Amino acid sequence: METTLRGVGVSHGVAIGEVRHMGTAVLEPPAKQITADEAEREQGRARQAVSAVAADLIARGQLAGGEAQHVLEAQAMIAEDPELMADVDRRIAVGSTAERGVYDAFASYRDLLAGAGEYMAGRVADLDDVRNRIVARLLGVPMPGVPDSDEPYVLIARDLAPADTALLDPALVLGFVTEEGGPTSHSAILARALGVPAIVALPGAGEIAEGTVIAVDGSTGDLFVEPTSAKKAELAAAAAERKAALAASSGPGATSDGHKVPLLANVGGPADVPAAVEAGAEGVGLFRTEFLFLDDSKKAPSEEKQIESYRKVLEAFPEGRVVVRVLDAGADKPLDFLTPADEPNPALGVRGLRSLLDHPDVLRTQLTALAKAAEGLPVYLEVMAPMVADRTDARAFADACREAGLKAKFGAMVEIPSAALRARSILQEVEFLSLGTNDLAQYAFAADRQVGAVSRLQDPWQPALLDLISMSAEAARAEGKSCGVCGEAAADPLLACVLTGLGVTSLSMGAASIPYVRATLAKYTLAQCERAAAAARAADSAEEARVAAQAVLSGE
């Protein structure tokens, strides 16, 4: 009998196949005591296992490339964290085995993260994955992961670590479903990059029996257990229609009546550029430069290294627009040389622009590197600051750009509700706004973007979030300036139409989503988008907003 479950759709497409479950978690190692004479040997075993796991994560990242590589390299840094290793050594010195020392040291650090505010607690899943890999290697047992199968299947897991998601084979893994996670989690972002249909935050999915046939609609978040032949045909027809629309869509982003909406790509570095170019991106709407800084958490990269990385991205879009976000460190992206170590809630502390203003030499070097990287190139460089709260922040950033001799437009990200409420004031100091909808939702609803339990409040269709977006777009229009969206909201084709109707002037997203958004925008006029936006804002919940917008656009 067909039943329907609903989670959060995070990657477009339809997958129909039998269920396979992720392997079981690593067992807790026994609390066996060792003698003092064995301590040195056990410490050596622990270090070898840690090095092997870090090397494996880096190798997986190099195989996957792009966004996945940056995420996995960050995980490798967690594995080799010197403070963690010092704790492991201490525990082994007083009698723990290597595997028990690792398990307990990671458990202690896990408790610290879990108690350091919800933003930092979002890193716990990554920490658990690194611990499991090290302990599995020490115990000599296989690391639980993607199941072996000769036939294609739909994967169900409590959560998926980036190391597993990055190397999914789309030829075998038709789609995946997780009980936890959120629309902006690492796994969701990587799923979109892979083009694998995916649903997250679906409690109870793990109870579906192995081998059961399910259908996953990554666009709507619907999961159909034992779908009927009619349902399969309906989903297949919808998928075929989407595929045909994608094939017919090309060129710049625009509504059916010619209103231009540039479609840009979110990139983390040069490795992400080929996919963006292939997808027809009209430029880069969010160049996340922090991944360059994560290579070494102890010091900032040299000016020369930064110039080399920036120039590779700028060269890929001659005559195009490239929007660079200066270093966004802090919260879930701590850097030893920049980030305070003792903040009770890092998400609400010194992060983003606040960190850079406290370390003007780091900001100055980055801005100077960007200025030199753009020399002689026919590119439209724009530079924006993360976590701008008010006009004072905007002025300080603009002054720093001018002092560095940067010949580019200066902008501010709208990620804090105060910036949306006072957008027109901020626009007296900068030339454009860019909405980071992930963080804007997090701060507007006090809902951590990494916590599946509050994913309802992270839904970008929330009418209150649409109100904040509308305020920002209206302020930009009044000042004759631009206002783009670079958060994950832009990757939802239907929501892209609503954002256009709200007055957003450009949309930036993962490269895999660009064809879907281009094809959908081309089906509707600007007036239809505006009516859909008004209907969505008049709703009282995210689901009602989505349904109302869909009804308008479908002519119901």
Side-chain angles (χ1 to χ4, degrees):
M1 177 179 175
E2 178 182 307
T3 57
T4 304
L5 304 174
R6 169 161 287 186
V8 179
V10 295
S11 185
H12 305 299
V14 172
I16 301 175
E18 292 187 0
V19 167
R20 296 286 183 274
H21 288 277
M22 184 69 91
T24 57
V26 173
L27 295 176
E28 180 179 345
K32 178 183 176 182
Q33 289 295 108
I34 62 171
T35 65
D37 292 342
E38 296 174 300
E40 186 174 349
R41 183 198 68 193
E42 291 296 291
Q43 288 170 339
R45 287 182 63 226
R47 282 191 289 272
Q48 288 175 358
V50 166
S51 296
V53 167
D56 178 61
L57 289 168
I58 290 171
R60 284 169 176 260
Q62 290 172 341
L63 282 172
E67 185 95 30
Q69 182 172 0
H70 303 307
V71 172
L72 294 178
E73 286 175 351
Q75 271 202 300
M77 288 174 60
I78 293 175
E80 297 187 300
D81 182 273
E83 291 187 14
L84 261 173
M85 281 312 302
D87 191 16
V88 172
D89 283 342
R90 284 193 296 270
R91 292 173 187 274
I92 293 174
V94 296
S96 290
T97 60
E99 47 266 41
R100 189 72 207 190
V102 167
Y103 188 90
D104 289 341
F106 271 75
S108 178
Y109 189 37
R110 189 186 198 279
D111 290 342
L112 286 175
L113 285 183
E118 287 188 350
Y119 206 99
M120 291 298 284
R123 298 181 64 207
V124 164
D126 287 359
L127 189 71
D128 287 347
D129 180 60
V130 172
R131 177 205 64 202
N132 288 347
R133 290 176 187 280
I134 298 170
V135 171
R137 183 170 288 271
L138 286 166
L139 291 174
V141 300
M143 175 63 200
V146 178
D148 290 329
S149 176
D150 295 329
E151 298 296 326
Y153 59 91
V154 179
L155 180 64
I156 292 183
R158 182 182 62 81
D159 202 354
L160 277 174
D164 293 317
T165 316
L167 296 184
L168 292 180
D169 181 356
L172 284 175
V173 182
L174 302 173
F176 71 75
V177 181
T178 65
E179 294 188 274
E180 299 183 359
T184 61
S185 65
H186 282 153
S187 291
I189 292 170
L190 294 178
R192 286 189 284 271
L194 287 166
V196 177
I199 298 174
V200 300
L202 203 167
E207 298 173 12
I208 301 173
E210 185 94 359
T212 302
V213 174
I214 63 172
V216 172
D217 190 332
S219 300
T220 64
D222 290 329
L223 184 154
F224 303 94
V225 180
E226 297 183 339
T228 63
S229 298
K231 176 58 69 175
K232 290 179 183 178
E234 177 188 328
L235 291 170
E241 183 181 345
R242 289 175 191 151
K243 186 175 181 179
L246 292 180
S249 175
S250 62
T255 58
S256 63
D257 56 342
H259 175 73
K260 293 182 179 180
V261 187
L263 302 181
L264 313 171
N266 294 343
V267 304
D272 295 338
V273 167
V277 172
E278 184 179 352
E282 297 169 60
V284 172
L286 173 61
F287 182 176
R288 301 182 180 98
T289 60
E290 59 269 17
F291 291 114
L292 181 62
F293 288 75
L294 290 172
D295 288 345
D296 185 349
S297 68
K298 302 298 182 185
K299 65 180 186 299
S302 66
E303 182 180 303
E304 291 72 25
K305 183 176 181 179
Q306 292 189 54
I307 291 171
E308 179 185 4
S309 180
Y310 302 151
R311 194 168 180 88
K312 287 178 181 177
V313 176
L314 296 174
E315 286 175 337
F317 295 95
E319 305 296 336
R321 176 187 179 199
V322 176
V323 185
V324 178
R325 180 177 69 190
V326 294
L327 176 61
D328 184 15
D332 64 339
K333 293 168 286 188
L335 294 171
D336 293 346
F337 67 89
L338 199 69
T339 309
D342 57 352
E343 290 187 306
N345 191 337
L348 301 180
V350 183
R351 62 166 293 199
L353 180 61
R354 300 167 187 176
S355 294
L356 293 175
L357 294 179
D358 280 352
H359 297 80
D361 54 323
V362 175
L363 177 58
R364 187 182 308 111
T365 298
Q366 184 171 24
L367 294 175
T368 301
L370 283 166
K372 292 180 179 179
E375 285 179 358
L377 295 180
V379 66
Y380 296 96
L381 176 63
E382 301 183 9
V383 182
M384 62 186 182
M387 297 296 291
V388 171
D390 56 18
R391 184 172 180 174
T392 299
D393 280 350
R395 182 187 302 119
F397 178 66
D399 287 345
C401 290
R402 284 187 283 266
E403 289 169 10
L406 193 61
K407 296 178 181 178
K409 285 187 175 182
F410 319 141
M413 291 199 70
V414 177
E415 301 166 287
I416 303 173
S418 64
L421 294 168
R422 300 290 295 171
R424 195 158 184 179
S425 172
I426 288 172
L427 284 166
Q428 305 311 303
E429 305 293 340
V430 296
E431 298 172 82
F432 69 93
L433 300 177
S434 183
L435 288 143
T437 52
N438 307 344
D439 270 325
L440 186 57
Q442 171 172 253
Y443 292 120
F445 295 101
D448 189 332
R449 55 192 285 189
Q450 298 291 339
V451 177
V454 293
S455 62
R456 175 182 73 82
L457 298 172
Q458 266 292 330
D459 192 324
W461 282 93
Q462 285 285 355
L465 182 64
L466 299 181
D467 289 342
L468 292 172
I469 294 170
S470 180
M471 287 181 185
S472 303
E474 288 174 7
R477 182 166 52 243
E479 294 295 328
K481 298 180 178 180
S482 62
C483 177
V485 167
C486 64
E488 291 300 316
D492 179 335
L494 181 61
L495 186 51
C497 295
V498 168
L499 295 173
T500 298
L502 292 174
V504 167
T505 56
S506 66
L507 299 167
S508 190
M509 65 207 75
S513 297
I514 290 175
Y516 290 92
V517 172
R518 181 192 294 118
T520 304
L521 270 177
K523 293 165 59 177
Y524 306 109
T525 65
L526 176 59
Q528 286 176 300
C529 292
E530 289 172 341
R531 289 196 295 273
R537 287 185 66 192
D540 291 320
S541 71
E543 180 58 27
E544 289 176 9
R546 185 184 291 106
V547 170
Q550 181 66 70
V552 169
L553 293 176
S554 61
E556 295 177 6

